[in-house]
Amino acid sequence: VGLGKTHLLYAIGHHATRLDPRLRVKYVTSETFMAEFIKAIRERQGYQFAARYRDVDILLIDDIQFLAKREETQTEFFHTFNALHAKERQIVIASDRPPQELSGMDERLRSRFRLGLCVDVQPPDLETRIAILQLKAGREQVEVPEDVLEFIASKFDQNIRELEGALLRVAAFASFSRQPINATLAEKVLADLLPQSDGEIPVELIMG
């Protein structure tokens, strides 16, 4: 969660259309797919629904894990997958876990997911996290010292949303309190978000 899977899907779609503007690329979340499928059944527009998803060159599906235990929607997606695969179209699926761990998902779907290239998106290393913070600070037009960026990057290493949120929190506090951004301020502002040790909390920290 929070490692940029959705950004990757968008990037794939944009890159594909740059390579060939004639390509029909469709991005959809699994929740939207499910909602549109239910609406199509209710309004007896199953054919139109199927055509909308099967008449594309690249289908990008986000958060496929949310189809778990949705048997009818899974069946429809199974047929959509087969139709696109038979026409040698591209299907890109994002999930917060690998196919074999998608509990509540039909085995025939999980089997098809394993047909393709499975890529494990890992948290970025320290240098990349610092670069992400530098970009974020530049976009927000905030001057942040390097030692503060390194401090934040060293503490938030599993989730990019949390990483960027920590930077914004420090910047907002500094702006509201009219204080300069430094390591002491960052540590104070982020104290409740950081893992706490089992030792005693110093009186000075409580009083500060």
Side-chain angles (χ1 to χ4, degrees):
V1 174
L3 292 180
K5 297 183 296 298
T6 299
H7 288 296
L8 283 173
L9 289 180
Y10 275 113
I12 290 168
H14 287 306
H15 184 64
T17 52
R18 276 198 297 268
L19 291 175
D20 186 351
R22 297 169 300 176
L23 286 176
R24 295 162 298 175
V25 180
K26 185 173 183 64
Y27 165 88
V28 67
T29 64
S30 61
E31 297 101 317
T32 300
F33 182 89
M34 182 167 55
E36 290 185 3
F37 174 60
I38 293 171
K39 181 181 178 183
I41 292 175
R42 187 173 64 245
E43 298 178 357
R44 298 183 179 181
Q45 295 183 344
Y47 176 80
Q48 292 90 325
F49 173 86
R52 194 157 62 244
Y53 282 95
R54 299 177 195 182
D55 193 25
V56 297
D57 297 300
I58 301 177
L59 179 61
L60 309 166
I61 299 279
D62 206 356
D63 287 323
I64 197 70
Q65 71 273 4
F66 292 131
L67 291 189
K69 299 179 182 178
R70 307 287 184 173
E71 294 181 9
E72 288 190 31
T73 309
Q74 285 186 41
T75 298
E76 177 61 30
F77 184 69
F78 172 78
H79 293 306
T80 297
F81 188 105
N82 284 347
L84 291 172
H85 188 264
K87 292 186 284 190
E88 299 186 346
R89 306 291 168 79
Q90 294 290 313
I91 307 165
V92 187
I93 298 168
S95 172
D96 64 1
R97 67 205 72 167
Q100 63 272 19
E101 294 179 15
L102 287 170
S103 59
M105 194 73 72
D106 194 319
E107 178 55 36
R108 59 184 180 173
L109 268 179
R110 287 192 288 173
S111 174
R112 277 157 178 75
F113 295 163
R114 289 193 290 265
L115 280 173
L117 171 66
C118 292
V119 179
D120 183 16
V121 181
Q122 291 290 330
D125 57 27
L126 178 63
E127 290 79 7
T128 305
R129 296 197 301 274
I130 292 173
I132 290 169
L133 290 176
Q134 288 172 335
L135 285 171
K136 186 69 174 177
R139 291 195 190 104
E140 299 295 328
Q141 299 182 330
V142 179
E143 289 288 337
V144 184
E146 285 297 316
D147 62 327
V148 175
L149 295 177
E150 187 168 343
F151 169 75
I152 296 173
S154 67
K155 298 298 183 181
F156 298 87
D157 57 359
Q158 295 298 313
N159 189 309
I160 302 304
R161 292 193 194 104
E162 291 179 0
L163 178 73
E164 294 183 338
L167 175 65
L168 291 179
R169 184 172 182 173
V170 171
F173 185 89
S175 175
F176 293 148
S177 62
R178 300 184 183 280
Q179 297 182 55
I181 296 177
N182 54 44
T184 303
L185 177 77
E187 192 167 353
K188 176 182 177 182
V189 172
L190 301 175
D192 63 319
L193 301 180
L194 301 175
Q196 300 297 319
S197 64
D198 294 330
E200 273 191 14
I201 301 174
V203 174
E204 292 78 13
L205 178 61
I206 297 173
M207 292 176 64

